[in-house]
């Protein structure tokens, strides 16, 4: 099937099964913390504990002198957690849905899509925590924060494309999920989450161009923490990359999906 038809067919199937996707996203969010004492509160506690850990290390032990470092840290940490969690959980979405794949006919791209959308909802629900922290530290939220909607769309597109790729490859190459967690750790430390991009030495600034998550992360920090508009040119370039990654993801998924039932 020609590339354009594959993409159109992929999107049409998602639209046709939108009610099922919505139901699975709700179920995913309910199941995620089922049986735990605090339940849905973990949506807020997880980023809070992560922020506390990094805040302790970089503000107290390493004595980072940056003013309002804790809200700055959470500004980058929340979108990164959305991205990394989607990739890690999406990579195994086909394998874990093996029982369903063998019993019921449905478009298989629904499984990784549900994983990404559930993490997107989780990200949106954690934003009030960030705004509360801004209030406590007296960080003003201005009009520039409204510019973040296209940033989230770009990140969603990039994440969806990468998740389609890793979810399609993992049933055949099971080591990929283990490798992915280590790659994401390296990617995390190379991304401007724990530090502002301005602290990266001049000779290594080129890595920001090579890192498709760098521009969205900087845009979150610009719009929310610094109250200034994102760098639209850099963001536009990342948007094109994200669109290409999504198209590649659809092609890769379509290439491997015929063998999922045998490999899961």
């Amino acid at each position: 099937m020609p590339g354009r038809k594959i993409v159109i067919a992929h999107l049409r199937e998602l639209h046709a099964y939108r009610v099922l996707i919505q139901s699975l996203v709700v179920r995913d969010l309910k199941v995620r913390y089922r049986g735990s004492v605090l339940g849905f509160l973990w949506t807020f506690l997880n980023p809070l504990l992560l922020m506390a850990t990094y805040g302790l290390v970089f503000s107290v032990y390493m004595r980072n002198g940056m003013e309002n470092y804790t809200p700055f840290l959470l500004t980058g940490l929340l979108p990164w957690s959305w991205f990394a969690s989607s990739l890690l959980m999406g990579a195994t979405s086909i394998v874990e849905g093996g029982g369903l794949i063998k019993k019921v006919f449905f478009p298989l791209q629904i499984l990784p899509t549900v994983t990404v959308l559930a993490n997107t909802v989780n990200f949106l629900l954690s934003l009030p925590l960030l705004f509360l922290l801004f209030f406590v530290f007296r960080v003003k939220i201005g009009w520039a924060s409204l510019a973040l909607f296209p940033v989230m769309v770009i990140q969603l597109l990039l994440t969806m494309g990468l998740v389609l790729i890793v979810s399609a490859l993992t049933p055949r190459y099971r080591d990929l999920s283990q490798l992915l967690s280590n790659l994401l750790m390296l990617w995390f430390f190379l991304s401007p989450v724990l530090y502002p991009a301005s602290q990266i030495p001049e000779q290594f600034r080129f890595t920001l161009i090579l890192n498709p998550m760098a521009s969205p992360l900087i845009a979150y920090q610009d719009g929310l923490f610094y109250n200034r508009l994102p760098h639209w040119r850099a963001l536009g370039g990342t948007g094109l990359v994200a669109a290409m990654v999504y198209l590649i993801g659809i092609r890769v998924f379509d290439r491997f999906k015929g063998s999922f039932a045998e490999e899961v």
Side-chain angles (χ1 to χ4, degrees):
M1 188 183 294
R4 187 178 174 183
K5 289 186 178 179
I6 292 174
V7 174
I8 293 174
H10 178 96
L11 296 176
R12 277 182 176 170
E13 287 178 332
L14 287 181
H15 183 261
Y17 284 82
R18 60 189 180 281
V19 176
L20 175 62
I21 293 173
Q22 184 180 347
S23 302
L24 290 176
V25 168
V26 173
R27 191 202 66 168
D28 185 285
L29 291 170
K30 287 181 178 177
V31 168
R32 187 167 298 188
Y33 302 115
R34 181 183 294 168
S36 63
V37 175
L38 297 177
F40 203 68
L41 283 177
W42 283 110
T43 299
F44 306 99
L45 290 176
N46 279 327
L48 195 64
L49 292 174
L50 201 58
M51 178 201 66
T53 303
Y54 284 114
L56 178 68
V57 171
F58 288 96
S59 295
V60 179
Y61 284 89
M62 298 183 68
R63 296 189 179 280
N64 186 312
M66 182 178 175
E67 187 179 1
N68 291 329
Y69 178 72
T70 305
F72 168 83
L73 175 63
L74 195 62
T75 304
L77 202 54
L78 289 181
W80 176 265
S81 296
W82 170 24
F83 175 72
S85 299
S86 295
L87 253 68
L88 287 173
M89 297 168 73
T92 56
S93 59
I94 297 296
V95 175
E96 291 176 357
L100 197 61
I101 290 173
K102 292 177 181 177
K103 294 176 182 175
V104 185
F105 174 79
F106 63 98
L108 300 181
Q109 65 267 31
I110 284 179
L111 294 176
T113 301
V114 165
T115 301
V116 174
L117 293 181
N119 280 292
T120 304
V121 174
N122 223 32
F123 166 70
L124 294 174
L125 290 175
S126 64
L127 287 180
L129 178 66
L130 178 65
F131 298 145
L132 178 62
L133 199 68
F134 275 25
F135 177 76
V136 171
F137 280 81
R138 298 183 178 179
V139 178
K140 185 180 178 182
I141 301 175
W143 289 104
S145 60
L146 297 177
L148 293 182
F149 179 72
V151 182
M152 288 189 278
V153 173
I154 289 172
Q155 181 176 343
L156 179 61
L157 206 58
L158 174 68
T159 306
M160 195 65 248
L162 291 174
V163 168
L164 283 173
I165 294 171
V166 295
S167 65
L169 296 178
T170 299
R172 183 169 300 183
Y173 309 105
R174 299 295 176 99
D175 293 331
L176 182 60
S177 60
Q178 302 300 324
L179 181 63
L180 185 62
S181 60
N182 290 287
L183 286 175
L184 281 171
M185 184 181 293
L186 175 64
W187 196 345
F188 171 71
F189 285 109
L190 292 178
S191 299
V193 177
L194 301 176
Y195 47 84
S198 58
Q199 288 188 1
I200 300 175
E202 191 69 37
Q203 64 268 32
F204 297 121
R205 294 278 175 87
F206 70 93
T207 58
L208 295 175
I209 300 173
L210 301 176
N211 181 352
M213 271 303 289
S215 181
L217 289 169
I218 293 171
Y220 285 113
Q221 292 161 356
D222 283 342
L224 289 170
F225 187 76
Y226 295 112
N227 191 22
R228 62 192 182 200
L229 290 174
H231 193 291
W232 292 115
R233 189 173 177 181
L235 207 54
T238 305
L240 289 175
V241 171
M244 288 176 60
V245 170
Y246 186 53
L247 294 178
I248 293 171
I250 291 175
R251 293 297 302 270
V252 171
F253 195 89
D254 187 73
R255 165 72 178 77
F256 284 88
K257 69 180 183 182
S259 59
F260 287 164
E262 299 173 0
E263 292 170 340
V264 296

